[in-house]
């Protein structure tokens, strides 16, 4: 009996240690202060305020425990990118992030998938308004109606999302997006396609499968060849469970008692909806590729981000993006991301040609990462001539 209690105590102790991953054995030690890696080896007047205040902002959000570790970037047309990091990405080793550290970008994967779909549309390889069985004949027909690619892009297909917040904790591995359809293909639609809005990562898994079937490549192969390499995104890929990434941020969950270590979930069920890893610098390159029409032409880009009402100031989900416009900022396109070990936010001030991104390695900081991104962007926009 004594051996049982000792064994149980050791197992519980180890589990708690693994989850909380204390900074050191001394419970009274202070958490490490943030370290800023600020790339400022360039001259660009629009960055002056950002260079002076950006580091202080990052320092404050780490000290106030809004994030464990964070990597951010801002780019302006004709200027080199401003990049900075703060905090730590591994509590046990106290490893600090660098501008080359990989973070889960979560649902910011969706705009990339949308661009890939629109490339195939632009080349005449698919149509947006035909039933998806045109390209995925094995996908079950639904009682409430046919689903189109446009509806999947806009989250108006009726395909369900996760049942709860625990839906992101998934550990089964799928070979590709087409294989991942097994997870939900037999589920009923929530509503008749085209009649309502329901955000659905599963809908974007279907789009990943469409890319695979139409192009003849795996999702990963297509994205590398047609999205990431043309954009210069050399550090971007899908996250694969059988690969060890030396420079990847650890996964944490922000709780009321601090940041606890998260189990590593398998992202193969949502590669095209939230399974990509990247750096802040690569995300800026993606934004610049959108602005420069490197991936799709200007006509297709306008189709992608067109608002149904040009007078609208309320945010609207278009083809892969949240889009809104105002007299101050003109058109803005953006996307947020939430995943195990990730809170992310990406915004393009489309008419002002400013791109900004923030990537954090903990769950439950969605509002904070959005606020940080906007604060950094404002420092540039207010000084941009």
């Amino acid at each position: 009996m004594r051996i049982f209690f000792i064994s149980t105590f050791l197992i519980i102790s180890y589990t708690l240690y693994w989850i909380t991953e204390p900074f050191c054995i001394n419970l009274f030690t202070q958490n490490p202060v943030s370290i800023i890696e600020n790339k400022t080896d360039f001259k660009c007047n629009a960055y002056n305020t950002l260079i002076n205040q950006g580091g202080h902002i990052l320092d404050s959000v780490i000290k106030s425990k809004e994030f464990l570790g964070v990597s951010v970037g801002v780019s302006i047309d004709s200027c080199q990118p401003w990049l900075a990091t703060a905090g730590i990405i591994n509590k046990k080793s106290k490893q600090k992030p660098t501008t080359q550290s990989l973070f889960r970008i979560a649902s910011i994967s969706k705009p990339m998938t949308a661009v890939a779909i629109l490339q195939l549309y632009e080349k005449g390889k698919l149509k947006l308004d035909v039933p998806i069985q045109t390209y995925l004949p094995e996908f079950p027909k639904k009682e409430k109606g046919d689903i189109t690619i446009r509806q999947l892009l806009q989250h108006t297909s009726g395909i369900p999302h996760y049942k709860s917040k625990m839906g992101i904790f998934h550990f089964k591995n799928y070979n590709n997006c087409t294989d991942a359809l097994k997870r939900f293909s037999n589920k009923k639609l929530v509503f008749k396609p085209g009649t309502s809005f329901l955000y659905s990562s599963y809908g974007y898994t279907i789009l990943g499968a469409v890319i695979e079937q139409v192009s003849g490549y795996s999702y990963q192969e297509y994205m590398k060849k047609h999205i990431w390499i043309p954009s210069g995104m050399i550090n971007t890929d899908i996250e694969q469970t059988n690969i060890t990434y030396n420079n990847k941020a650890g996964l944490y969950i922000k709780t009321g008692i601090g940041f606890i270590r998260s189990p590593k979930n398998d992202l193969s069920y949502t590669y095209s909806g939230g399974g990509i890893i990247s750096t802040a610098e690569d995300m800026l390159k993606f934004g610049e590729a959108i602005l420069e029409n490197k991936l799709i032409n200007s006509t297709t880009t306008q189709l992608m981000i067109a608002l149904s009402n040009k007078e609208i100031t309320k945010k609207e989900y278009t083809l892969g993006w949240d889009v809104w416009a105002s007299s101050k900022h003109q058109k803005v396109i953006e996307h947020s991301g939430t995943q195990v070990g990730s809170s992310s936010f990406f915004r393009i001030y489309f008419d002002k040609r400013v791109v900004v991104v923030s990537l954090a390695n903990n769950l439950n900081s969605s509002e904070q990462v959005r606020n940080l991104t906007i604060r950094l962007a404002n420092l540039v926009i207010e000084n941009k001539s």
Side-chain angles (χ1 to χ4, degrees), residues 243-276:
I243 294 179
T244 299
Y245 303 92
N246 295 325
N247 59 337
K248 181 178 172 295
L251 309 178
Y252 295 88
I253 301 173
K254 181 181 177 182
T255 70
I257 60 172
F259 298 95
I260 64 173
R261 188 177 178 184
S262 170
K264 183 181 178 181
N265 62 331
D266 189 298
L267 299 181
S268 61
Y269 75 99
T270 185
Y271 278 151
S272 47
I276 294 172

Side-chain angles (χ1 to χ4, degrees), residues 21-88:
E21 218 174 28
F23 290 105
C24 75
I25 299 300
N26 179 3
L27 298 178
F28 299 100
T29 189
Q30 293 184 348
N31 293 351
V33 298
S34 62
I35 304 295
I36 307 298
E37 180 180 330
N38 190 353
K39 181 178 177 182
T40 58
D41 54 337
F42 54 85
K43 293 182 179 180
C44 187
N45 291 336
Y47 284 137
N48 289 343
T49 305
L50 181 62
I51 292 171
N52 292 331
Q53 299 183 26
H56 297 298
I57 291 174
L58 288 182
D59 190 59
S60 68
V61 297
I62 293 298
K63 286 182 177 178
S64 62
K65 299 182 180 179
E66 293 184 23
F67 316 104
L68 184 61
V70 66
S71 180
V72 301
V74 180
S75 71
I76 307 173
D77 190 30
S78 77
C79 291
Q80 294 182 43
W82 179 87
L83 301 166
T85 64
I88 57 175

Side-chain angles (χ1 to χ4, degrees), residues 85-361:
T85 64
I88 57 175
I89 55 174
N90 186 298
K91 285 177 64 177
K92 187 175 182 180
S93 66
K94 301 182 184 179
Q95 181 184 355
K96 307 182 204 66
T98 71
T99 55
Q100 298 304 306
S101 296
L102 293 169
F103 286 75
R104 288 182 167 185
I105 67 170
S107 286
I108 302 176
S109 305
K110 290 181 174 68
M112 294 186 191
T113 297
V115 172
I117 285 286
L118 290 170
Q119 282 182 336
L120 295 171
Y121 161 79
E122 190 173 278
K123 295 172 182 177
K125 294 185 177 182
L126 61 77
K127 297 179 180 180
L128 301 181
D129 298 306
V130 298
I132 59 172
Q133 284 78 14
T134 307
Y135 312 107
L136 298 173
E138 301 301 318
F139 194 85
K141 285 270 192 176
K142 303 299 179 181
E143 287 184 17
K144 293 183 178 178
D146 289 332
I147 299 167
T148 68
I149 289 175
R150 188 189 300 272
Q151 291 164 349
L152 291 170
L153 288 168
Q154 294 178 323
H155 298 293
T156 59
S157 69
I159 290 288
H161 190 49
Y162 313 134
K163 289 184 178 179
S164 69
K165 291 183 179 179
M166 297 302 293
I168 58 177
F169 289 90
H170 184 74
F171 304 96
K172 178 178 173 61
N173 182 259
Y174 296 98
N175 295 325
N176 48 47
C177 294
T178 304
D179 188 37
L181 297 179
K182 298 173 184 176
R183 178 170 167 82
F184 60 87
S185 61
N186 289 319
K187 292 181 180 293
K188 294 181 179 180
L189 298 185
V190 179
F191 50 78
K192 180 180 178 181
T195 63
S196 189
F197 177 92
L198 175 65
Y199 186 89
S200 173
S201 289
Y202 290 146
Y204 270 72
T205 298
I206 299 175
L207 291 172
V210 169
I211 291 169
E212 291 177 343
Q213 296 305 308
V214 172
S215 71
Y217 292 105
S218 70
Y219 177 77
Q220 179 189 33
E221 290 169 340
Y222 184 91
M223 298 301 285
K224 278 187 175 181
K225 185 174 182 178
H226 296 281
I227 302 294
W228 301 330
I229 292 176
S231 301
M233 301 166 67
I234 60 174
N235 294 308
T236 302
D237 204 344
I238 60 172
E239 182 182 303
Q240 298 171 279
T241 54
N242 61 342
I243 294 179
T244 299
Y245 303 92
N246 295 325
N247 59 337
K248 181 178 172 295
L251 309 178
Y252 295 88
I253 301 173
K254 181 181 177 182
T255 70
I257 60 172
F259 298 95
I260 64 173
R261 188 177 178 184
S262 170
K264 183 181 178 181
N265 62 331
D266 189 298
L267 299 181
S268 61
Y269 75 99
T270 185
Y271 278 151
S272 47
I276 294 172
I277 51 176
S278 189
T279 64
E281 185 171 22
D282 270 14
M283 292 306 303
L284 295 182
K285 290 178 180 179
F286 176 62
E288 291 162 0
I290 296 296
L291 291 173
E292 295 168 10
N293 301 312
K294 286 184 178 180
L295 304 176
I296 51 179
N297 64 39
S298 59
T299 300
T300 307
T301 298
Q302 290 302 322
L303 171 68
M304 179 175 69
I305 63 173
L307 291 165
S308 60
N309 182 350
K310 292 184 179 180
E311 302 300 321
I312 195 170
T313 57
K314 185 178 180 181
K315 188 161 55 177
E316 178 182 337
Y317 204 98
T318 60
L319 305 184
W321 299 85
D322 278 316
V323 181
W324 55 277
S326 70
S327 57
K328 179 179 180 180
H329 296 305
Q330 300 173 294
K331 182 165 282 188
V332 176
I333 65 176
E334 62 188 33
H335 213 291
S336 60
T338 299
Q339 179 55 268
V340 175
S342 171
S343 297
S344 57
F345 194 79
F346 180 59
R347 175 178 281 188
I348 302 175
Y349 293 83
F350 193 81
D351 294 309
K352 293 183 178 294
R353 304 184 70 81
V354 173
V355 184
V356 59
V357 64
S358 297
L359 307 173
N361 68 325

